[in-house]
Coordinates of all heavy atoms in Angstrom, one line a residue:
E634 N 41.1 72.8 68.4 CA 40.8 71.8 69.4 C 41.0 72.3 70.9 O 42.0 73.1 71.1 CB 41.7 70.6 69.2 CG 41.5 70.0 67.8 CD 40.1 69.5 67.5 OE1 39.4 69.0 68.4 OE2 39.6 69.8 66.4
A635 N 40.1 71.9 71.7 CA 40.2 72.4 73.1 C 41.5 72.0 73.8 O 42.0 70.9 73.7 CB 39.0 71.9 73.9
G636 N 42.2 72.9 74.5 CA 43.3 72.7 75.3 C 44.7 72.5 74.7 O 45.6 72.2 75.3
V637 N 44.7 72.8 73.3 CA 45.9 72.7 72.6 C 46.7 74.1 72.7 O 46.2 75.1 72.4 CB 45.7 72.3 71.1 CG1 47.1 72.3 70.4 CG2 45.0 70.9 71.0
R638 N 48.0 74.0 73.1 CA 48.7 75.2 73.2 C 50.1 75.0 72.4 O 50.6 73.8 72.3 CB 49.1 75.5 74.6 CG 47.9 76.0 75.4 CD 48.3 76.4 76.8 NE 49.3 77.4 76.9 CZ 50.5 77.3 77.5 NH1 50.8 76.2 78.1 NH2 51.4 78.3 77.5
L639 N 50.8 76.1 72.0 CA 52.0 76.0 71.3 C 53.0 76.7 72.2 O 52.8 77.7 72.8 CB 51.9 76.9 70.0 CG 53.1 77.1 69.2 CD1 53.6 75.7 68.5 CD2 52.9 78.1 68.1
L640 N 54.2 76.0 72.3 CA 55.4 76.6 72.9 C 56.3 77.1 71.8 O 56.6 76.4 70.9 CB 56.1 75.6 73.7 CG 55.5 75.0 75.0 CD1 56.4 74.1 75.7 CD2 55.0 76.1 75.9
D641 N 56.8 78.4 72.0 CA 57.7 79.0 71.0 C 58.7 79.8 71.8 O 58.7 79.7 73.1 CB 57.1 79.8 69.9 CG 56.2 80.9 70.4 OD1 56.5 81.3 71.6 OD2 55.3 81.3 69.7
A642 N 59.6 80.5 71.1 CA 60.6 81.3 71.8 C 60.1 82.4 72.7 O 60.8 82.8 73.6 CB 61.5 82.0 70.7
Q643 N 58.8 82.8 72.5 CA 58.3 83.9 73.3 C 57.5 83.2 74.5 O 57.0 84.0 75.4 CB 57.3 84.7 72.6 CG 57.9 85.7 71.6 CD 58.6 85.0 70.4 OE1 58.0 84.3 69.8 NE2 59.9 85.5 70.2
S644 N 57.3 82.0 74.6 CA 56.6 81.4 75.7 C 57.3 81.5 77.1 O 58.5 81.5 77.2 CB 56.3 79.8 75.4 OG 55.6 79.7 74.3
Q645 N 56.4 81.7 78.1 CA 57.0 82.0 79.4 C 56.6 80.9 80.4 O 57.3 80.8 81.5 CB 56.4 83.3 80.0 CG 56.7 84.5 79.1 CD 58.1 85.0 79.3 OE1 58.7 85.1 80.4 NE2 58.8 85.4 78.3
E646 N 55.6 80.1 80.1 CA 55.2 79.1 81.1 C 54.9 77.7 80.5 O 54.7 77.6 79.3 CB 53.9 79.6 81.7 CG 53.9 80.9 82.5 CD 52.7 81.3 83.1 OE1 51.6 80.6 82.9 OE2 52.7 82.3 83.9
F647 N 55.1 76.8 81.4 CA 54.7 75.4 81.0 C 53.4 75.0 81.8 O 53.2 75.4 82.9 CB 55.8 74.5 81.5 CG 55.4 72.9 81.4 CD1 55.8 72.4 80.1 CD2 55.0 72.2 82.3 CE1 55.4 71.1 79.9 CE2 54.7 70.9 82.1 CZ 54.9 70.3 80.9
S648 N 52.5 74.4 81.1 CA 51.2 74.0 81.8 C 50.8 72.6 81.3 O 51.4 72.0 80.3 CB 50.1 74.9 81.4 OG 49.8 74.9 80.0
D649 N 49.9 71.9 82.1 CA 49.5 70.6 81.6 C 48.5 70.8 80.5 O 48.2 71.9 80.0 CB 48.9 69.8 82.8 CG 47.8 70.6 83.5 OD1 47.3 71.6 82.9 OD2 47.4 70.2 84.6
G650 N 48.0 69.7 80.0 CA 47.1 69.7 78.8 C 48.0 69.2 77.6 O 48.8 68.4 77.7
I651 N 47.6 69.7 76.5 CA 48.3 69.3 75.2 C 49.2 70.4 74.7 O 48.7 71.5 74.4 CB 47.3 68.9 74.1 CG1 46.3 67.9 74.6 CG2 47.9 68.6 72.8 CD1 45.0 67.7 73.8
L652 N 50.5 70.2 74.7 CA 51.4 71.2 74.2 C 52.1 70.7 73.0 O 52.6 69.5 72.9 CB 52.5 71.4 75.3 CG 52.0 72.0 76.6 CD1 53.2 72.2 77.6 CD2 51.3 73.3 76.4
I653 N 52.2 71.6 72.0 CA 53.0 71.3 70.8 C 54.4 72.1 70.9 O 54.3 73.3 71.2 CB 52.3 71.8 69.5 CG1 50.9 71.1 69.4 CG2 53.1 71.6 68.2 CD1 50.1 71.5 68.2
A654 N 55.5 71.4 70.8 CA 56.8 72.1 71.0 C 57.8 71.4 70.2 O 57.6 70.3 69.7 CB 57.1 72.0 72.5
T655 N 59.0 72.2 70.0 CA 60.1 71.4 69.5 C 60.9 70.7 70.5 O 60.7 70.9 71.7 CB 61.1 72.6 68.9 OG1 61.6 73.3 70.0 CG2 60.4 73.5 67.9
A656 N 61.7 69.8 70.0 CA 62.6 69.0 71.0 C 63.4 70.0 71.8 O 63.7 69.7 73.0 CB 63.4 68.0 70.3
Y657 N 63.9 71.1 71.2 CA 64.7 72.0 71.9 C 64.0 72.6 73.1 O 64.5 72.7 74.3 CB 65.1 73.1 70.9 CG 65.8 74.4 71.7 CD1 66.9 74.2 72.3 CD2 65.0 75.5 71.8 CE1 67.5 75.3 73.0 CE2 65.5 76.7 72.5 CZ 66.8 76.5 73.1 OH 67.2 77.6 73.7
L658 N 62.7 73.1 72.9 CA 62.0 73.7 74.1 C 61.4 72.6 75.0 O 61.2 72.9 76.1 CB 60.9 74.5 73.6 CG 61.2 75.8 73.0 CD1 60.0 76.5 72.4 CD2 61.8 76.8 74.1
A659 N 61.3 71.3 74.6 CA 60.8 70.3 75.4 C 61.8 69.7 76.2 O 61.6 68.9 77.2 CB 60.1 69.2 74.6
K660 N 63.1 70.0 76.0 CA 64.2 69.4 76.8 C 64.1 69.7 78.2 O 63.9 70.9 78.5 CB 65.6 69.9 76.1 CG 66.7 69.1 76.7 CD 68.0 69.4 75.9 CE 68.2 70.8 75.8 NZ 69.6 71.2 75.5
G661 N 64.2 68.8 79.1 CA 64.1 69.0 80.5 C 62.7 68.9 81.0 O 62.4 68.7 82.2
L662 N 61.7 68.8 80.1 CA 60.3 68.7 80.5 C 60.0 67.2 80.5 O 60.6 66.4 79.8 CB 59.4 69.5 79.6 CG 59.7 70.9 79.4 CD1 58.7 71.5 78.5 CD2 59.8 71.7 80.8
E663 N 58.8 66.8 80.9 CA 58.2 65.5 80.8 C 56.8 65.5 80.7 O 56.1 66.4 81.1 CB 58.6 64.5 82.0 CG 58.2 65.1 83.3 CD 58.8 64.2 84.5 OE1 59.8 63.6 84.4 OE2 58.0 64.1 85.5
F664 N 56.3 64.5 80.0 CA 54.8 64.4 79.7 C 54.3 62.9 79.9 O 55.1 62.0 79.7 CB 54.6 64.7 78.2 CG 55.1 66.1 77.8 CD1 56.3 66.3 77.3 CD2 54.2 67.2 77.8 CE1 56.8 67.5 77.0 CE2 54.7 68.5 77.4 CZ 55.9 68.6 77.0
D665 N 53.1 62.8 80.4 CA 52.5 61.5 80.5 C 52.5 60.7 79.1 O 52.9 59.6 79.0 CB 51.1 61.6 80.9 CG 50.9 62.1 82.3 OD1 51.8 61.9 83.1 OD2 50.0 62.8 82.6
Q666 N 52.2 61.5 78.1 CA 52.0 60.9 76.7 C 52.8 61.8 75.7 O 52.7 63.0 75.8 CB 50.5 60.8 76.4 CG 50.2 60.3 75.0 CD 48.7 60.4 74.7 OE1 48.1 59.3 74.4 NE2 48.1 61.5 74.9
V667 N 53.5 61.1 74.8 CA 54.3 61.9 73.8 C 53.9 61.4 72.5 O 53.9 60.2 72.3 CB 55.8 61.8 74.1 CG1 56.6 62.2 72.9 CG2 56.2 62.6 75.3
L668 N 53.8 62.3 71.5 CA 53.5 62.1 70.2 C 54.7 62.6 69.4 O 54.9 63.9 69.6 CB 52.2 62.6 69.6 CG 50.9 62.1 70.3 CD1 49.8 62.9 69.9 CD2 50.7 60.6 70.1
L669 N 55.4 61.9 68.5 CA 56.4 62.4 67.7 C 56.0 62.3 66.2 O 56.1 61.2 65.6 CB 57.7 61.7 67.9 CG 58.4 62.0 69.2 CD1 59.5 60.9 69.4 CD2 58.9 63.3 69.3
P670 N 55.5 63.3 65.6 CA 55.0 63.2 64.3 C 56.1 63.4 63.3 O 57.2 63.9 63.6 CB 54.0 64.5 64.1 CG 54.4 65.4 65.1 CD 55.1 64.6 66.2
S671 N 55.9 63.1 62.0 CA 56.8 63.4 60.9 C 58.2 62.8 61.1 O 59.3 63.4 60.7 CB 56.9 65.0 60.6 OG 55.7 65.5 60.4
C672 N 58.3 61.5 61.7 CA 59.5 60.9 61.8 C 60.0 60.1 60.6 O 60.1 58.9 60.6 CB 59.5 60.0 63.1 SG 59.4 61.0 64.6
T673 N 60.2 60.9 59.6 CA 60.5 60.3 58.3 C 62.1 60.3 58.1 O 62.8 61.0 58.7 CB 59.9 61.0 57.1 OG1 60.5 62.5 57.1 CG2 58.4 61.2 57.3
A674 N 62.4 59.5 57.0 CA 63.8 59.5 56.6 C 64.4 60.9 56.2 O 65.6 61.2 56.3 CB 64.1 58.5 55.5
R675 N 63.5 61.7 55.7 CA 63.9 63.0 55.3 C 64.1 64.0 56.4 O 65.0 64.8 56.4 CB 62.8 63.6 54.3 CG 63.2 65.0 53.7 CD 62.1 65.5 52.8 NE 60.8 65.8 53.7 CZ 59.7 66.2 53.2 NH1 59.6 66.4 51.9 NH2 58.7 66.4 54.0
D676 N 63.2 63.8 57.4 CA 63.2 64.8 58.6 C 64.3 64.4 59.7 O 64.9 65.2 60.4 CB 61.9 64.8 59.3 CG 61.0 65.6 58.4 OD1 61.2 66.8 58.3 OD2 59.9 65.2 58.1
Y677 N 64.6 63.0 59.8 CA 65.5 62.6 60.9 C 66.6 61.7 60.2 O 66.3 60.5 60.0 CB 64.8 61.9 62.0 CG 63.9 62.7 62.8 CD1 62.5 63.0 62.6 CD2 64.5 63.4 63.9 CE1 61.7 63.8 63.3 CE2 63.7 64.2 64.8 CZ 62.4 64.4 64.5 OH 61.5 65.2 65.3
R678 N 67.7 62.4 59.9 CA 68.8 61.6 59.1 C 70.2 61.9 59.6 O 71.1 61.2 59.4 CB 68.6 61.9 57.6 CG 68.9 63.3 57.2 CD 68.6 63.5 55.7 NE 69.0 64.8 55.3 CZ 68.4 66.0 55.5 NH1 67.3 66.0 56.2 NH2 68.9 67.1 55.1
S679 N 70.4 63.2 60.1 CA 71.7 63.7 60.4 C 72.0 63.4 61.9 O 71.1 63.1 62.7 CB 71.8 65.1 60.1 OG 71.1 65.8 61.1
P680 N 73.3 63.5 62.3 CA 73.7 63.3 63.7 C 72.8 64.3 64.7 O 72.4 63.8 65.8 CB 75.1 63.7 63.9 CG 75.6 63.4 62.5 CD 74.5 63.7 61.5
I681 N 72.6 65.5 64.3 CA 71.8 66.4 65.2 C 70.3 66.0 65.2 O 69.7 66.0 66.2 CB 71.9 67.9 64.8 CG1 71.3 68.8 65.8 CG2 71.3 68.1 63.4 CD1 71.5 70.3 65.5
D682 N 69.8 65.4 64.1 CA 68.5 64.9 64.1 C 68.3 63.7 65.0 O 67.4 63.6 65.7 CB 68.1 64.5 62.6 CG 68.1 65.5 61.7 OD1 67.9 66.7 62.1 OD2 68.2 65.2 60.4
R683 N 69.4 62.8 65.1 CA 69.4 61.7 66.0 C 69.2 62.2 67.5 O 68.4 61.6 68.2 CB 70.6 60.9 65.8 CG 70.7 59.6 66.6 CD 72.1 59.1 66.8 NE 72.5 58.4 65.6 CZ 72.3 57.1 65.3 NH1 71.8 56.3 66.2 NH2 72.8 56.7 64.2
H684 N 70.0 63.2 67.8 CA 69.8 63.8 69.1 C 68.4 64.4 69.4 O 67.9 64.1 70.5 CB 70.9 64.8 69.4 CG 72.3 64.2 69.7 ND1 72.8 64.1 71.0 CD2 73.2 63.7 68.9 CE1 74.0 63.5 70.9 NE2 74.3 63.4 69.5
M685 N 67.9 65.0 68.4 CA 66.5 65.6 68.7 C 65.6 64.5 68.8 O 64.6 64.7 69.7 CB 66.1 66.5 67.4 CG 66.9 67.7 67.3 SD 66.4 68.9 68.6 CE 67.3 70.3 68.2
L686 N 65.7 63.4 68.0 CA 64.7 62.3 68.2 C 64.9 61.7 69.6 O 63.8 61.4 70.2 CB 65.0 61.3 67.1 CG 64.0 60.1 67.0 CD1 62.6 60.6 66.7 CD2 64.5 59.2 65.9
Y687 N 66.1 61.5 70.0 CA 66.3 61.0 71.3 C 65.7 61.8 72.4 O 65.0 61.3 73.4 CB 67.9 60.8 71.6 CG 68.3 60.3 72.9 CD1 68.2 58.9 73.2 CD2 68.6 61.1 74.0 CE1 68.5 58.3 74.4 CE2 69.0 60.6 75.2 CZ 69.0 59.2 75.4 OH 69.3 58.7 76.7
V688 N 65.9 63.1 72.3 CA 65.3 64.0 73.3 C 63.8 63.9 73.4 O 63.2 63.8 74.4 CB 65.7 65.5 73.0 CG1 64.9 66.5 73.8 CG2 67.2 65.7 73.3
G689 N 63.2 63.8 72.2 CA 61.7 63.7 72.1 C 61.2 62.4 72.7 O 60.3 62.5 73.5
V690 N 61.9 61.4 72.4 CA 61.5 60.0 72.9 C 61.6 60.0 74.4 O 60.7 59.4 75.1 CB 62.3 58.8 72.3 CG1 62.1 57.6 73.1 CG2 61.9 58.7 70.9
T691 N 62.7 60.5 75.0 CA 62.9 60.5 76.4 C 62.0 61.5 77.3 O 62.2 61.5 78.5 CB 64.4 60.7 76.7 OG1 64.8 61.9 76.2 CG2 65.2 59.5 76.2
R692 N 61.2 62.2 76.6 CA 60.2 63.1 77.3 C 59.0 62.3 77.8 O 58.3 62.8 78.7 CB 59.7 64.2 76.5 CG 60.6 65.2 75.9 CD 61.6 65.8 76.9 NE 62.8 65.0 76.8 CZ 63.7 65.0 77.9 NH1 63.4 65.7 79.0 NH2 64.7 64.2 77.8
A693 N 58.8 61.1 77.4 CA 57.6 60.3 77.6 C 57.8 59.6 79.0 O 58.7 58.8 79.1 CB 57.4 59.4 76.5
M694 N 56.7 59.6 79.8 CA 56.7 58.9 81.0 C 56.0 57.5 80.8 O 56.5 56.5 81.3 CB 56.0 59.7 82.1 CG 56.7 61.0 82.5 SD 55.7 62.0 83.6 CE 55.7 60.8 85.1
H695 N 54.8 57.5 80.2 CA 54.0 56.4 80.2 C 53.6 55.8 78.8 O 53.4 54.6 78.6 CB 52.6 56.6 80.9 CG 52.9 57.3 82.4 ND1 53.5 56.6 83.3 CD2 52.5 58.5 82.8 CE1 53.6 57.4 84.4 NE2 52.9 58.5 84.1
S696 N 53.5 56.7 77.8 CA 53.0 56.4 76.5 C 53.8 57.2 75.5 O 54.0 58.3 75.6 CB 51.5 56.7 76.4 OG 51.0 56.5 75.1
L697 N 54.1 56.4 74.4 CA 54.9 57.0 73.3 C 54.3 56.6 72.0 O 54.2 55.3 71.7 CB 56.3 56.7 73.4 CG 57.2 57.1 72.2 CD1 57.4 58.7 72.1 CD2 58.7 56.5 72.4
T698 N 54.0 57.4 71.1 CA 53.6 57.1 69.7 C 54.4 57.9 68.8 O 54.5 59.1 68.8 CB 52.1 57.4 69.5 OG1 51.4 56.6 70.5 CG2 51.7 56.9 68.1
I699 N 55.0 57.2 67.7 CA 55.8 57.9 66.7 C 55.1 57.7 65.4 O 54.7 56.5 65.1 CB 57.2 57.3 66.6 CG1 58.0 57.5 68.0 CG2 57.9 57.8 65.4 CD1 59.3 56.9 68.1
T700 N 54.8 58.8 64.6 CA 54.2 58.6 63.4 C 55.0 59.1 62.2 O 55.9 59.9 62.3 CB 52.8 59.4 63.4 OG1 53.1 60.8 63.5 CG2 51.9 59.0 64.5
H701 N 54.7 58.7 61.0 CA 55.5 59.1 59.8 C 54.6 58.8 58.6 O 53.8 57.8 58.5 CB 56.7 58.3 59.7 CG 56.7 56.9 59.6 ND1 56.6 56.2 58.3 CD2 56.5 55.9 60.5 CE1 56.5 54.9 58.6 NE2 56.5 54.7 59.9
A702 N 54.7 59.7 57.7 CA 54.0 59.6 56.3 C 55.1 59.5 55.3 O 55.6 60.6 54.9 CB 53.0 60.7 56.1
G703 N 55.4 58.4 54.9 CA 56.6 58.1 54.0 C 57.6 57.2 54.7 O 57.2 56.6 55.8
E704 N 58.7 57.1 54.2 CA 59.8 56.2 54.7 C 60.1 56.7 56.1 O 60.4 57.7 56.4 CB 61.0 56.1 53.9 CG 62.0 55.2 54.2 CD 63.3 55.2 53.4 OE1 63.3 56.0 52.4 OE2 64.3 54.6 53.8
V705 N 60.2 55.7 57.0 CA 60.5 56.0 58.4 C 62.0 56.3 58.5 O 62.8 55.9 57.8 CB 60.1 54.8 59.3 CG1 61.1 53.7 59.1 CG2 60.2 55.1 60.8
S706 N 62.3 57.1 59.6 CA 63.8 57.5 59.9 C 64.6 56.3 60.0 O 64.2 55.3 60.6 CB 63.8 58.4 61.1 OG 65.1 58.5 61.6
P707 N 65.8 56.3 59.5 CA 66.7 55.1 59.7 C 67.1 54.9 61.2 O 67.4 53.8 61.5 CB 67.9 55.6 58.9 CG 67.9 57.0 58.8 CD 66.4 57.4 58.7
F708 N 66.9 55.9 62.0 CA 67.1 55.7 63.4 C 65.9 54.9 64.1 O 66.1 54.4 65.2 CB 67.2 57.1 64.2 CG 68.2 58.0 63.5 CD1 67.9 59.3 63.2 CD2 69.5 57.5 63.2 CE1 68.8 60.2 62.7 CE2 70.4 58.3 62.7 CZ 70.1 59.7 62.4
L709 N 64.9 54.7 63.4 CA 63.8 53.9 63.9 C 63.6 52.6 63.1 O 62.7 51.8 63.5 CB 62.5 54.7 63.8 CG 62.5 55.9 64.7 CD1 61.3 56.9 64.3 CD2 62.4 55.5 66.2
A710 N 64.3 52.5 62.0 CA 64.0 51.3 61.0 C 64.3 50.0 61.7 O 63.6 49.0 61.3 CB 64.8 51.6 59.8
R711 N 65.1 49.9 62.7 CA 65.4 48.6 63.4 C 64.2 48.2 64.2 O 64.1 47.0 64.6 CB 66.6 48.7 64.1 CG 67.9 48.8 63.4 CD 69.2 49.0 64.2 NE 69.1 50.3 64.8 CZ 70.1 50.9 65.6 NH1 71.0 50.0 65.9 NH2 70.0 51.9 66.1

Side-chain angles (χ1 to χ4, degrees):
E634 301 302 317
V637 177
R638 290 182 58 236
L639 173 70
L640 292 185
D641 58 23
Q643 283 70 49
S644 297
Q645 300 284 320
E646 297 182 357
F647 176 83
S648 66
D649 53 16
I651 302 168
L652 295 181
I653 301 175
T655 62
Y657 165 71
L658 282 177
K660 193 170 52 158
L662 310 179
E663 59 184 29
F664 302 88
D665 294 325
Q666 176 180 236
V667 165
L668 300 172
L669 289 171
S671 302
C672 291
T673 64
R675 184 183 65 182
D676 284 300
Y677 289 93
R678 65 186 188 281
S679 69
I681 190 172
D682 296 338
R683 181 195 289 266
H684 281 261
M685 289 292 185
L686 187 59
Y687 179 83
V688 169
V690 166
T691 54
R692 300 310 92 202
M694 296 174 63
H695 311 298
S696 174
L697 172 66
T698 302
I699 297 172
T700 64
H701 60 96
E704 183 184 354
V705 71
S706 165
F708 305 131
L709 297 165
R711 287 175 292 180

